[in-house]
Amino acid sequence: MVKKTLGLKIKINNSLLNFIEIDLKKLEHNYYAIRSLLNPKTKMIGVVKANAYGSEVNSIAKKLVALGIDALAVAFTEEGIQLRNQGIKARILVFYPQTENFKLLISANLEPALYSKKSWRAFEKNILDQRKKNYPVHVKYNTGLNRIGFNPADSDWILNEIKKDAFKIKSVYSHLAASEENRPNEFSQKQLALFNEIMNDHKKNSKSETDFHLLNTSGIFNYPELHLDWIRCGIGLYGFANQPQWNKKLKPIGKLISTITQIHSIKSGETVGYNCGWTAHENTRIAILPLGHADGIARHYGQGNGWVSIQGEKAPIVGNICMDMIMVEIKNLPCEEGDEVEIFGTVNTAEAFADQGNTISYELLSGLGKRIERRILK
Ligand SMILES: *Cc1c(COP(=O)(O)O)cnc(C)c1O
């Protein structure tokens, strides 16, 4: 339905003031850096769920396809359909497809992960209804993360089911709970042992060739001997790998820039922000930046925990973060209203900034709001 509007073109972002600069050359660097760690036969799934970790999924997906990625993966069916609507023809895995959307998923030629008998049966029904055969699916096992996945004890059931020809199992996979933790890690060892049994079961009893995969980004770095047939790389493509020595190989693709909209000179003893959250202990200056917790800069970054970079200098976020604004102390830094400020990027990486806010790069990046413009550098 086309809604009548007032005829105004509305651009729903504060784009001149806040933007994330996304550098596709850095994405390319990360792609090759990760490729270089892999056996040439190991294939790469580029994980682009949640708007490519909060960046801009259409440009990221197109670039990855152009670079030769073997498949893409999203969390939900709608995300896969968005990629198809962009003309992306690559294989697309859907990690958490909801049974309600199976029909759509099939019509968009997406490949589901089946993770329970219920999801299996529901998908089978859709395949039979649409008179399809040998539809490519992926089987997800729960080996200890206790998120989604078949119980390893279900492997006999699955192997019996695939004697029918509704599905073709393209791959069997699981997910580690602590892939970034130092080796040897007891919990990962247990998961590995279980996955080994699952692989053996499938190898012995499956009629067609099945691929196996286990590792996300940190796993790729931490378990070079376990790359298997595929790896599933998300955060690494965006420039982080959850350990400083691994991060060194990668380049963060995004920079979040904001603009000083107002500067106040305040006297010692004056307070800043809601609930008088911060008190100046000397005469100082405060700069106001037009983004806040509605844009993904959570309250944890306030109260001096997080800092932004102005002309390369640290300016701490003072007081409580508001919905649309944050206040930073700039003292005598040489800056004025209208100047750009780096919230994170080169001086303070997204990972370091996330840490200041008591979170991780994944949450910071994927939580960046729609009001922030995405600027793509090709
Ligand atoms: C998100 C996700 C990944 C990607 O993990 P990174 O740590 O970002 O590389 C891999 N596998 C599954 C099942 C996921 O949900």
mmCIF file of all heavy atoms in Angstrom, residues 256-275:
data_model
loop_
_atom_site.group_PDB
_atom_site.id
_atom_site.type_symbol
_atom_site.label_atom_id
_atom_site.label_comp_id
_atom_site.label_asym_id
_atom_site.label_seq_id
_atom_site.Cartn_x
_atom_site.Cartn_y
_atom_site.Cartn_z
ATOM 1 N N LEU A 256 32.917 5.197 13.786
ATOM 2 C CA LEU A 256 31.699 5.955 14.097
ATOM 3 C C LEU A 256 32.074 7.405 14.398
ATOM 4 O O LEU A 256 32.843 7.678 15.320
ATOM 5 C CB LEU A 256 30.967 5.332 15.293
ATOM 6 C CG LEU A 256 29.737 6.090 15.811
ATOM 7 C CD1 LEU A 256 28.685 6.262 14.718
ATOM 8 C CD2 LEU A 256 29.135 5.372 17.016
ATOM 9 N N ILE A 257 31.545 8.276 13.581
ATOM 10 C CA ILE A 257 31.885 9.698 13.690
ATOM 11 C C ILE A 257 30.642 10.489 14.103
ATOM 12 O O ILE A 257 29.545 10.234 13.615
ATOM 13 C CB ILE A 257 32.380 10.237 12.314
ATOM 14 C CG1 ILE A 257 33.544 9.394 11.772
ATOM 15 C CG2 ILE A 257 32.738 11.717 12.408
ATOM 16 C CD1 ILE A 257 34.821 9.479 12.573
ATOM 17 N N SER A 258 30.831 11.435 14.995
ATOM 18 C CA SER A 258 29.753 12.343 15.354
ATOM 19 C C SER A 258 30.270 13.779 15.238
ATOM 20 O O SER A 258 31.419 13.993 14.841
ATOM 21 C CB SER A 258 29.258 12.034 16.769
ATOM 22 O OG SER A 258 28.096 12.777 17.035
ATOM 23 N N THR A 259 29.434 14.728 15.573
ATOM 24 C CA THR A 259 29.779 16.135 15.382
ATOM 25 C C THR A 259 29.424 16.919 16.641
ATOM 26 O O THR A 259 28.347 16.712 17.208
ATOM 27 C CB THR A 259 28.959 16.709 14.197
ATOM 28 O OG1 THR A 259 29.152 15.859 13.068
ATOM 29 C CG2 THR A 259 29.397 18.113 13.844
ATOM 30 N N ILE A 260 30.299 17.804 17.031
ATOM 31 C CA ILE A 260 29.993 18.645 18.203
ATOM 32 C C ILE A 260 28.900 19.630 17.813
ATOM 33 O O ILE A 260 29.062 20.414 16.871
ATOM 34 C CB ILE A 260 31.241 19.428 18.660
ATOM 35 C CG1 ILE A 260 32.338 18.451 19.106
ATOM 36 C CG2 ILE A 260 30.879 20.401 19.786
ATOM 37 C CD1 ILE A 260 33.665 19.129 19.453
ATOM 38 N N THR A 261 27.759 19.570 18.519
ATOM 39 C CA THR A 261 26.686 20.511 18.176
ATOM 40 C C THR A 261 26.658 21.720 19.114
ATOM 41 O O THR A 261 26.098 22.745 18.778
ATOM 42 C CB THR A 261 25.317 19.816 18.185
ATOM 43 O OG1 THR A 261 25.215 19.008 19.339
ATOM 44 C CG2 THR A 261 25.151 18.938 16.963
ATOM 45 N N GLN A 262 27.211 21.570 20.316
ATOM 46 C CA GLN A 262 27.278 22.734 21.204
ATOM 47 C C GLN A 262 28.422 22.547 22.202
ATOM 48 O O GLN A 262 28.751 21.415 22.565
ATOM 49 C CB GLN A 262 25.954 22.932 21.957
ATOM 50 C CG GLN A 262 25.860 24.294 22.599
ATOM 51 C CD GLN A 262 24.493 24.606 23.199
ATOM 52 O OE1 GLN A 262 23.663 23.722 23.345
ATOM 53 N NE2 GLN A 262 24.278 25.871 23.543
ATOM 54 N N ILE A 263 29.001 23.668 22.614
ATOM 55 C CA ILE A 263 30.043 23.633 23.657
ATOM 56 C C ILE A 263 29.630 24.581 24.782
ATOM 57 O O ILE A 263 29.146 25.686 24.521
ATOM 58 C CB ILE A 263 31.415 24.053 23.071
ATOM 59 C CG1 ILE A 263 31.929 22.959 22.119
ATOM 60 C CG2 ILE A 263 32.429 24.295 24.197
ATOM 61 C CD1 ILE A 263 33.229 23.278 21.412
ATOM 62 N N HIS A 264 29.754 24.123 26.030
ATOM 63 C CA HIS A 264 29.481 24.977 27.191
ATOM 64 C C HIS A 264 30.752 25.111 28.011
ATOM 65 O O HIS A 264 31.465 24.133 28.190
ATOM 66 C CB HIS A 264 28.478 24.319 28.147
ATOM 67 C CG HIS A 264 27.149 24.043 27.568
ATOM 68 N ND1 HIS A 264 26.291 25.027 27.161
ATOM 69 C CD2 HIS A 264 26.493 22.871 27.360
ATOM 70 C CE1 HIS A 264 25.180 24.478 26.720
ATOM 71 N NE2 HIS A 264 25.279 23.162 26.814
ATOM 72 N N SER A 265 30.930 26.318 28.526
ATOM 73 C CA SER A 265 31.957 26.473 29.572
ATOM 74 C C SER A 265 31.218 26.374 30.886
ATOM 75 O O SER A 265 30.196 27.046 31.068
ATOM 76 C CB SER A 265 32.628 27.841 29.470
ATOM 77 O OG SER A 265 33.383 27.877 28.277
ATOM 78 N N ILE A 266 31.670 25.513 31.781
ATOM 79 C CA ILE A 266 30.985 25.396 33.067
ATOM 80 C C ILE A 266 31.969 25.595 34.213
ATOM 81 O O ILE A 266 33.179 25.388 34.065
ATOM 82 C CB ILE A 266 30.234 24.047 33.215
ATOM 83 C CG1 ILE A 266 31.184 22.866 33.149
ATOM 84 C CG2 ILE A 266 29.142 23.903 32.174
ATOM 85 C CD1 ILE A 266 30.518 21.557 33.531
ATOM 86 N N LYS A 267 31.416 25.999 35.340
ATOM 87 C CA LYS A 267 32.252 26.323 36.507
ATOM 88 C C LYS A 267 32.380 25.116 37.425
ATOM 89 O O LYS A 267 31.495 24.261 37.459
ATOM 90 C CB LYS A 267 31.611 27.464 37.278
ATOM 91 C CG LYS A 267 31.564 28.760 36.512
ATOM 92 C CD LYS A 267 31.665 29.956 37.483
ATOM 93 C CE LYS A 267 31.998 31.223 36.729
ATOM 94 N NZ LYS A 267 30.904 31.607 35.811
ATOM 95 N N SER A 268 33.446 25.083 38.151
ATOM 96 C CA SER A 268 33.645 24.051 39.171
ATOM 97 C C SER A 268 32.391 23.969 40.045
ATOM 98 O O SER A 268 31.841 24.991 40.435
ATOM 99 C CB SER A 268 34.870 24.430 40.013
ATOM 100 O OG SER A 268 35.062 23.456 41.002
ATOM 101 N N GLY A 269 31.921 22.751 40.304
ATOM 102 C CA GLY A 269 30.737 22.567 41.151
ATOM 103 C C GLY A 269 29.449 22.436 40.363
ATOM 104 O O GLY A 269 28.447 21.946 40.881
ATOM 105 N N GLU A 270 29.440 22.850 39.093
ATOM 106 C CA GLU A 270 28.227 22.677 38.281
ATOM 107 C C GLU A 270 28.084 21.216 37.885
ATOM 108 O O GLU A 270 29.070 20.486 37.813
ATOM 109 C CB GLU A 270 28.311 23.552 37.024
ATOM 110 C CG GLU A 270 28.027 25.013 37.278
ATOM 111 C CD GLU A 270 27.832 25.770 35.964
ATOM 112 O OE1 GLU A 270 26.867 25.486 35.237
ATOM 113 O OE2 GLU A 270 28.681 26.640 35.668
ATOM 114 N N THR A 271 26.864 20.807 37.595
ATOM 115 C CA THR A 271 26.634 19.408 37.231
ATOM 116 C C THR A 271 26.222 19.292 35.774
ATOM 117 O O THR A 271 25.805 20.275 35.154
ATOM 118 C CB THR A 271 25.538 18.761 38.106
ATOM 119 O OG1 THR A 271 24.301 19.400 37.826
ATOM 120 C CG2 THR A 271 25.876 18.859 39.582
ATOM 121 N N VAL A 272 26.326 18.099 35.247
ATOM 122 C CA VAL A 272 26.005 17.838 33.841
ATOM 123 C C VAL A 272 25.014 16.684 33.737
ATOM 124 O O VAL A 272 25.216 15.631 34.347
ATOM 125 C CB VAL A 272 27.287 17.483 33.043
ATOM 126 C CG1 VAL A 272 26.946 16.988 31.640
ATOM 127 C CG2 VAL A 272 28.216 18.687 32.952
ATOM 128 N N GLY A 273 23.964 16.884 32.991
ATOM 129 C CA GLY A 273 23.062 15.796 32.588
ATOM 130 C C GLY A 273 22.018 15.415 33.615
ATOM 131 O O GLY A 273 21.930 15.999 34.700
ATOM 132 N N TYR A 274 21.204 14.435 33.217
ATOM 133 C CA TYR A 274 20.114 13.948 34.063
ATOM 134 C C TYR A 274 20.626 13.497 35.414
ATOM 135 O O TYR A 274 21.717 12.914 35.509
ATOM 136 C CB TYR A 274 19.424 12.755 33.388
ATOM 137 C CG TYR A 274 18.480 13.138 32.279
ATOM 138 C CD1 TYR A 274 18.563 12.514 31.036
ATOM 139 C CD2 TYR A 274 17.482 14.102 32.473
ATOM 140 C CE1 TYR A 274 17.687 12.833 30.008
ATOM 141 C CE2 TYR A 274 16.612 14.433 31.452
ATOM 142 C CZ TYR A 274 16.718 13.800 30.224
ATOM 143 O OH TYR A 274 15.860 14.116 29.215
ATOM 144 N N ASN A 275 19.797 13.740 36.420
ATOM 145 C CA ASN A 275 20.106 13.345 37.799
ATOM 146 C C ASN A 275 21.428 13.941 38.271
ATOM 147 O O ASN A 275 22.086 13.386 39.141
ATOM 148 C CB ASN A 275 20.138 11.808 37.938
ATOM 149 C CG ASN A 275 18.894 11.173 37.362
ATOM 150 O OD1 ASN A 275 18.940 10.567 36.288
ATOM 151 N ND2 ASN A 275 17.777 11.348 38.029
#
